Every structure is written in structure tokens, then in C-alpha cells.
Amino acid sequence: QVHIEESGGGLVQPGGSLRLSCAASENIYEIAIMGWYRQAPGKQRELVASVTANNDMTYGDAVKGRFTVSRDSGERRVDLQMNSLNLEDTAVYYCWVRTFGGVYIASRDYWGQGTQVTVSS
């Protein structure tokens, strides 16, 4: 069974930092993108950050300049360094993995169970 393992969520004060980590199981092959989405209660899920196998990075507008996404050389782990956290960053953060698609195979998306990040004084 494929699985996505997340860690690093928790409670932090405004202005503080957290680091989220995600690891994809070895039976997920040909990973094209790894990243993070988040969803707050009553809000739509939104992209936080992602990194491709080509090392192209994308950030949501709300986190640019504050968050940094990185991926290891084995392309099975992704980290999200979150700095200068504010109240609006409170959400459940979900690790996202997308595999390569091609002529004869479709890409697939995998999701972690989510880890809670709460920013509060």
C-alpha cells in the first residue's frame, strides 16, 4: 500500500517558524512533483508550495518570501520551512505527490493525511 508520511506540524506563536517534512513510500514510482497544500475550516484548499523533478518551484502568493520548499536528491522527500508565521497560516497542511504521466500512463496524485499547523499567541 502506498503511503505519504508527514511530520512537523504543531502550535507556534506569530512570527515563529515550523518545518514540515514529507516522505513518499518506495512503491510510488516516477515522482514528478512533491509539495504542500493547505486548507483552513470554511476555506478552499490552496497550493502552498511545490517542487518538480526538474527543481522548478512554485509558491502560493500568500507565502512567497516566507516559506521555502526543498526536495532531497532521491526525490522522495520534501520539506517546507515556514518562517514569519502569522494567524492566517493556521490550517491543515497536506503533502502532495504527483507521478509522471505519459503517452501510455496517466499521472496520479497522492495525498498525506494532513498535519495541523496552528499559529496563535
Side-chain angles (χ1 to χ4, degrees):
Q1 182 69 41
V2 300
H3 64 271
I4 309 294
E5 186 168 336
E6 304 157 318
S7 64
L11 175 66
V12 65
Q13 294 183 351
S17 298
L18 283 175
R19 187 176 183 90
L20 305 182
S21 297
C22 175
S25 60
E26 292 185 353
N27 54 354
I28 300 177
Y29 303 106
E30 301 292 338
I31 295 174
I33 310 172
M34 296 189 72
W36 296 88
Y37 277 73
R38 69 185 184 185
Q39 187 168 27
K43 304 291 181 65
Q44 294 185 357
R45 186 174 296 193
E46 64 178 356
L47 176 69
V48 178
S50 65
V51 56
T52 72
N54 196 40
N55 207 37
D56 294 322
M57 299 177 185
T58 300
Y59 293 94
D61 290 339
V63 307
K64 288 179 179 177
R66 299 187 297 120
F67 291 9
T68 303
V69 66
S70 60
R71 188 175 178 181
D72 75 347
S73 60
E75 300 182 343
R76 294 194 172 277
R77 290 183 173 86
V78 64
D79 294 333
L80 182 68
Q81 179 66 45
M82 304 185 293
N83 298 326
S84 301
L85 287 162
N86 56 55
L87 300 181
E88 289 69 44
D89 295 317
T90 296
V92 177
Y93 286 69
Y94 297 91
C95 183
W96 170 52
V97 179
R98 173 169 287 180
T99 61
F100 283 105
V103 176
Y104 301 109
I105 190 170
S107 65
R108 298 188 65 181
D109 289 333
Y110 300 89
W111 297 91
Q113 68 181 65
T115 183
Q116 177 71 47
V117 172
T118 301
V119 184
S120 176
S121 60

PDB file of all heavy atoms in Angstrom, residues 50-62:
ATOM      1  N   SER A  50       5.401  23.885  -4.075  1.00  0.00           N
ATOM      2  CA  SER A  50       5.703  22.613  -4.710  1.00  0.00           C
ATOM      3  C   SER A  50       7.051  22.700  -5.394  1.00  0.00           C
ATOM      4  O   SER A  50       7.535  23.788  -5.713  1.00  0.00           O
ATOM      5  CB  SER A  50       4.619  22.211  -5.714  1.00  0.00           C
ATOM      6  OG  SER A  50       4.565  23.113  -6.802  1.00  0.00           O
ATOM      7  N   VAL A  51       7.640  21.542  -5.628  1.00  0.00           N
ATOM      8  CA  VAL A  51       8.905  21.460  -6.345  1.00  0.00           C
ATOM      9  C   VAL A  51       8.836  20.272  -7.289  1.00  0.00           C
ATOM     10  O   VAL A  51       8.370  19.192  -6.913  1.00  0.00           O
ATOM     11  CB  VAL A  51      10.105  21.363  -5.374  1.00  0.00           C
ATOM     12  CG1 VAL A  51       9.959  20.175  -4.428  1.00  0.00           C
ATOM     13  CG2 VAL A  51      11.412  21.298  -6.141  1.00  0.00           C
ATOM     14  N   THR A  52       9.282  20.469  -8.519  1.00  0.00           N
ATOM     15  CA  THR A  52       9.224  19.424  -9.528  1.00  0.00           C
ATOM     16  C   THR A  52      10.523  18.638  -9.566  1.00  0.00           C
ATOM     17  O   THR A  52      11.521  19.001  -8.952  1.00  0.00           O
ATOM     18  CB  THR A  52       8.958  20.014 -10.918  1.00  0.00           C
ATOM     19  OG1 THR A  52      10.139  20.695 -11.371  1.00  0.00           O
ATOM     20  CG2 THR A  52       7.792  20.988 -10.898  1.00  0.00           C
ATOM     21  N   ALA A  53      10.504  17.538 -10.325  1.00  0.00           N
ATOM     22  CA  ALA A  53      11.712  16.755 -10.529  1.00  0.00           C
ATOM     23  C   ALA A  53      12.794  17.561 -11.227  1.00  0.00           C
ATOM     24  O   ALA A  53      13.977  17.234 -11.124  1.00  0.00           O
ATOM     25  CB  ALA A  53      11.395  15.494 -11.329  1.00  0.00           C
ATOM     26  N   ASN A  54      12.410  18.587 -11.947  1.00  0.00           N
ATOM     27  CA  ASN A  54      13.341  19.490 -12.608  1.00  0.00           C
ATOM     28  C   ASN A  54      13.774  20.632 -11.693  1.00  0.00           C
ATOM     29  O   ASN A  54      14.461  21.554 -12.136  1.00  0.00           O
ATOM     30  CB  ASN A  54      12.713  20.057 -13.878  1.00  0.00           C
ATOM     31  CG  ASN A  54      13.730  20.686 -14.809  1.00  0.00           C
ATOM     32  OD1 ASN A  54      14.820  20.158 -14.980  1.00  0.00           O
ATOM     33  ND2 ASN A  54      13.368  21.819 -15.397  1.00  0.00           N
ATOM     34  N   ASN A  55      13.340  20.581 -10.442  1.00  0.00           N
ATOM     35  CA  ASN A  55      13.677  21.568  -9.427  1.00  0.00           C
ATOM     36  C   ASN A  55      13.043  22.928  -9.684  1.00  0.00           C
ATOM     37  O   ASN A  55      13.558  23.950  -9.238  1.00  0.00           O
ATOM     38  CB  ASN A  55      15.191  21.714  -9.267  1.00  0.00           C
ATOM     39  CG  ASN A  55      15.583  22.182  -7.879  1.00  0.00           C
ATOM     40  OD1 ASN A  55      14.972  21.784  -6.889  1.00  0.00           O
ATOM     41  ND2 ASN A  55      16.612  23.012  -7.794  1.00  0.00           N
ATOM     42  N   ASP A  56      11.936  22.931 -10.393  1.00  0.00           N
ATOM     43  CA  ASP A  56      11.142  24.146 -10.522  1.00  0.00           C
ATOM     44  C   ASP A  56      10.241  24.275  -9.312  1.00  0.00           C
ATOM     45  O   ASP A  56       9.552  23.327  -8.931  1.00  0.00           O
ATOM     46  CB  ASP A  56      10.297  24.123 -11.794  1.00  0.00           C
ATOM     47  CG  ASP A  56      11.137  24.163 -13.048  1.00  0.00           C
ATOM     48  OD1 ASP A  56      12.162  24.869 -13.067  1.00  0.00           O
ATOM     49  OD2 ASP A  56      10.766  23.480 -14.026  1.00  0.00           O
ATOM     50  N   MET A  57      10.217  25.461  -8.735  1.00  0.00           N
ATOM     51  CA  MET A  57       9.466  25.686  -7.517  1.00  0.00           C
ATOM     52  C   MET A  57       8.333  26.668  -7.745  1.00  0.00           C
ATOM     53  O   MET A  57       8.471  27.631  -8.491  1.00  0.00           O
ATOM     54  CB  MET A  57      10.384  26.203  -6.407  1.00  0.00           C
ATOM     55  CG  MET A  57      11.490  25.240  -6.058  1.00  0.00           C
ATOM     56  SD  MET A  57      12.606  25.907  -4.816  1.00  0.00           S
ATOM     57  CE  MET A  57      13.849  24.607  -4.765  1.00  0.00           C
ATOM     58  N   THR A  58       7.228  26.397  -7.089  1.00  0.00           N
ATOM     59  CA  THR A  58       6.059  27.253  -7.150  1.00  0.00           C
ATOM     60  C   THR A  58       5.606  27.552  -5.735  1.00  0.00           C
ATOM     61  O   THR A  58       5.573  26.660  -4.884  1.00  0.00           O
ATOM     62  CB  THR A  58       4.917  26.591  -7.933  1.00  0.00           C
ATOM     63  OG1 THR A  58       5.345  26.320  -9.268  1.00  0.00           O
ATOM     64  CG2 THR A  58       3.692  27.493  -7.974  1.00  0.00           C
ATOM     65  N   TYR A  59       5.244  28.808  -5.493  1.00  0.00           N
ATOM     66  CA  TYR A  59       4.747  29.227  -4.197  1.00  0.00           C
ATOM     67  C   TYR A  59       3.424  29.939  -4.347  1.00  0.00           C
ATOM     68  O   TYR A  59       3.215  30.696  -5.295  1.00  0.00           O
ATOM     69  CB  TYR A  59       5.737  30.165  -3.501  1.00  0.00           C
ATOM     70  CG  TYR A  59       7.032  29.509  -3.108  1.00  0.00           C
ATOM     71  CD1 TYR A  59       8.141  29.554  -3.935  1.00  0.00           C
ATOM     72  CD2 TYR A  59       7.140  28.847  -1.891  1.00  0.00           C
ATOM     73  CE1 TYR A  59       9.327  28.947  -3.571  1.00  0.00           C
ATOM     74  CE2 TYR A  59       8.323  28.237  -1.517  1.00  0.00           C
ATOM     75  CZ  TYR A  59       9.419  28.293  -2.361  1.00  0.00           C
ATOM     76  OH  TYR A  59      10.593  27.688  -1.985  1.00  0.00           O
ATOM     77  N   GLY A  60       2.542  29.687  -3.405  1.00  0.00           N
ATOM     78  CA  GLY A  60       1.336  30.474  -3.344  1.00  0.00           C
ATOM     79  C   GLY A  60       1.653  31.904  -2.965  1.00  0.00           C
ATOM     80  O   GLY A  60       2.622  32.193  -2.258  1.00  0.00           O
ATOM     81  N   ASP A  61       0.825  32.825  -3.453  1.00  0.00           N
ATOM     82  CA  ASP A  61       1.089  34.240  -3.210  1.00  0.00           C
ATOM     83  C   ASP A  61       1.161  34.578  -1.728  1.00  0.00           C
ATOM     84  O   ASP A  61       1.929  35.454  -1.323  1.00  0.00           O
ATOM     85  CB  ASP A  61       0.011  35.093  -3.872  1.00  0.00           C
ATOM     86  CG  ASP A  61       0.095  35.084  -5.380  1.00  0.00           C
ATOM     87  OD1 ASP A  61       1.173  34.758  -5.915  1.00  0.00           O
ATOM     88  OD2 ASP A  61      -0.912  35.409  -6.031  1.00  0.00           O
ATOM     89  N   ALA A  62       0.376  33.896  -0.920  1.00  0.00           N
ATOM     90  CA  ALA A  62       0.312  34.224   0.495  1.00  0.00           C
ATOM     91  C   ALA A  62       1.569  33.863   1.264  1.00  0.00           C
ATOM     92  O   ALA A  62       1.771  34.358   2.380  1.00  0.00           O
ATOM     93  CB  ALA A  62      -0.896  33.540   1.143  1.00  0.00           C
TER      94      ALA A  62
END
